Amino acid sequence: MNFEELRPTLLGIAYRLLGSMWDAEDVVQEAWLRWQGVDQEEVREPRAFLTTVVSRLALDQLRSARVKRESYTGSWLPEPVLSGDIGPLDTAELRDTVSFATLHMMERLTPPERAVFVLREAFELPYEQIAEIVETSVANCRQLFRRASVRLAEGSDRFSPSSEEHAKLLEGFLRAASLGDMEALTGFLHDEVVSWSDGGGKVRMALKPIAGREQVIKFITGLLRRYTLESVTPVEANGQPALLVDMGGRMQLMAFDMRDGLIHDIYTIGNPDKLQRVL
């Protein structure tokens, strides 16, 4: 098996660990350079070797990235990526671990927790191999996975909507918002809804999360009074339906997390550096 055959999977690992395709591509390119520098005939399992290299490089980068994200202007959100650009999504675990909501929640994990969770949950690596990658014991890997799973499961919806239901809910939400139908809009939002915005200091956006149905509705109506909704294009980003929105000539991507059949989290990415792959 050559490197190019493995590249989509390696990108998928690095992206899940870093939440940034730019950084993931850098990691995979560094892994390719290292691959060129070894005697490939001596590598018995290229997949295991390259998975280890990419995971360790991504872990090192994640540790330094966390420091930068703490000083980021406003909320740091993952870089959205069109579903066809992030490797295989042919299992529920691969699709779920690349979703916007999961990537956002994984920011709360320590780098080792995140690595163990991704490698075990999404790629089904044996604990023995993960322990070697993370450089810890198998027993500790099991504990890290259990801890990460519990933290990510807090408040999550056991019955996630299908892509069709997800898309239908977004269409209804958008229609109600564009018509200014506040009563209908209220019916689409969970009472604990939170709106997250990422302008990265490049464009003007809310610097703090807006929590609660009433506050989120006020926020949305304020935006619609201030800016014209020029166009909305449905896309599939990170394995789920999303909306590419032109509001007052400014492009944004909106992704959503559902709970109890309602919108529980709204993620709006306006930072132009993070939108280049979806425009």
Side-chain angles (χ1 to χ4, degrees), residues 154-207:
E154 290 173 358
S156 63
D157 194 342
R158 288 178 56 218
F159 305 101
S160 300
S162 66
S163 293
E164 293 76 16
E165 291 168 330
H166 194 124
K168 189 173 182 179
L169 195 57
L170 297 197
E171 289 172 11
F173 165 80
L174 178 65
R175 185 166 54 251
S178 61
L179 293 174
D181 187 342
M182 294 303 105
E183 184 177 348
L185 187 62
T186 300
F188 288 104
L189 300 177
H190 196 283
D191 58 0
E192 297 177 355
V193 63
V194 181
S195 175
W196 310 80
S197 301
D198 180 345
K202 305 292 180 70
V203 295
R204 187 178 177 184
M205 300 188 78
L207 294 177

Side-chain angles (χ1 to χ4, degrees):
M1 179 173 286
N2 64 39
F3 189 93
E4 291 308 313
E5 288 178 289
L6 289 171
R7 184 182 289 273
T9 297
L10 298 175
L11 273 173
I13 292 171
Y15 176 70
R16 285 169 175 82
L17 289 179
L18 296 166
S20 164
M21 186 57 83
W22 294 109
D23 291 339
E25 287 179 337
D26 286 346
V27 161
V28 172
Q29 180 62 20
E30 177 62 26
W32 181 83
L33 291 173
R34 295 192 182 192
W35 180 242
Q36 300 308 304
V38 301
D39 184 350
Q40 296 171 19
E41 296 297 324
E42 294 295 313
V43 179
R44 289 185 299 171
E45 298 183 37
R47 179 187 291 271
F49 174 85
L50 289 167
T51 295
T52 298
V53 171
V54 164
S55 299
R56 287 180 176 171
L57 287 170
L59 261 174
D60 289 342
Q61 190 152 326
L62 180 60
R63 290 186 178 103
S64 61
R66 285 168 69 88
V67 176
K68 295 178 184 177
R69 291 171 192 178
E70 287 173 2
S71 59
Y72 189 81
T73 302
S75 299
W76 187 93
L77 295 176
E79 176 193 350
V81 183
L82 296 177
S83 297
D85 297 338
I86 43 181
L89 294 177
D90 47 7
T91 68
E93 290 76 17
L94 283 169
R95 188 170 288 269
D96 181 65
T97 52
V98 84
S99 74
F100 223 83
T102 301
L103 288 173
H104 185 234
M105 286 192 293
M106 281 200 289
E107 288 295 308
R108 306 172 191 172
L109 304 179
T110 66
E113 285 173 344
R114 185 165 182 165
V116 171
F117 180 80
V118 165
L119 295 172
R120 181 65 179 175
E121 179 74 6
F123 296 93
E124 299 181 323
L125 267 60
Y127 279 115
E128 291 75 14
Q129 185 179 351
I130 298 173
E132 182 181 343
I133 291 170
V134 183
E135 298 179 298
T136 189
S137 67
V138 169
N140 193 40
C141 274
R142 293 182 186 276
Q143 289 183 338
L144 289 169
F145 179 78
R146 186 159 47 248
R147 194 182 309 150
S149 299
V150 168
R151 296 187 72 181
L152 293 178
E154 290 173 358
S156 63
D157 194 342
R158 288 178 56 218
F159 305 101
S160 300
S162 66
S163 293
E164 293 76 16
E165 291 168 330
H166 194 124
K168 189 173 182 179
L169 195 57
L170 297 197
E171 289 172 11
F173 165 80
L174 178 65
R175 185 166 54 251
S178 61
L179 293 174
D181 187 342
M182 294 303 105
E183 184 177 348
L185 187 62
T186 300
F188 288 104
L189 300 177
H190 196 283
D191 58 0
E192 297 177 355
V193 63
V194 181
S195 175
W196 310 80
S197 301
D198 180 345
K202 305 292 180 70
V203 295
R204 187 178 177 184
M205 300 188 78
L207 294 177
K208 295 182 178 180
I210 297 165
R213 182 189 288 155
E214 185 177 339
Q215 294 303 314
V216 169
I217 289 175
K218 286 181 181 178
F219 177 64
I220 292 171
T221 54
L223 286 176
L224 292 171
R225 286 195 201 101
R226 198 174 305 130
Y227 304 105
T228 303
L229 190 63
E230 304 287 353
S231 67
V232 179
T233 306
V235 296
E236 186 175 283
N238 294 70
Q240 293 183 326
L243 301 172
L244 199 55
V245 179
D246 181 346
M247 185 169 282
R250 195 173 69 188
M251 297 303 297
Q252 304 174 351
L253 182 128
M254 298 180 71
F256 303 80
D257 184 35
M258 308 301 179
R259 194 171 302 172
D260 305 323
L262 298 170
I263 295 172
H264 188 273
D265 292 275
I266 303 171
Y267 306 103
T268 306
I269 302 91
N271 183 343
D273 294 343
K274 293 186 177 183
L275 293 176
Q276 296 182 32
R277 297 175 189 277
V278 294
L279 294 178

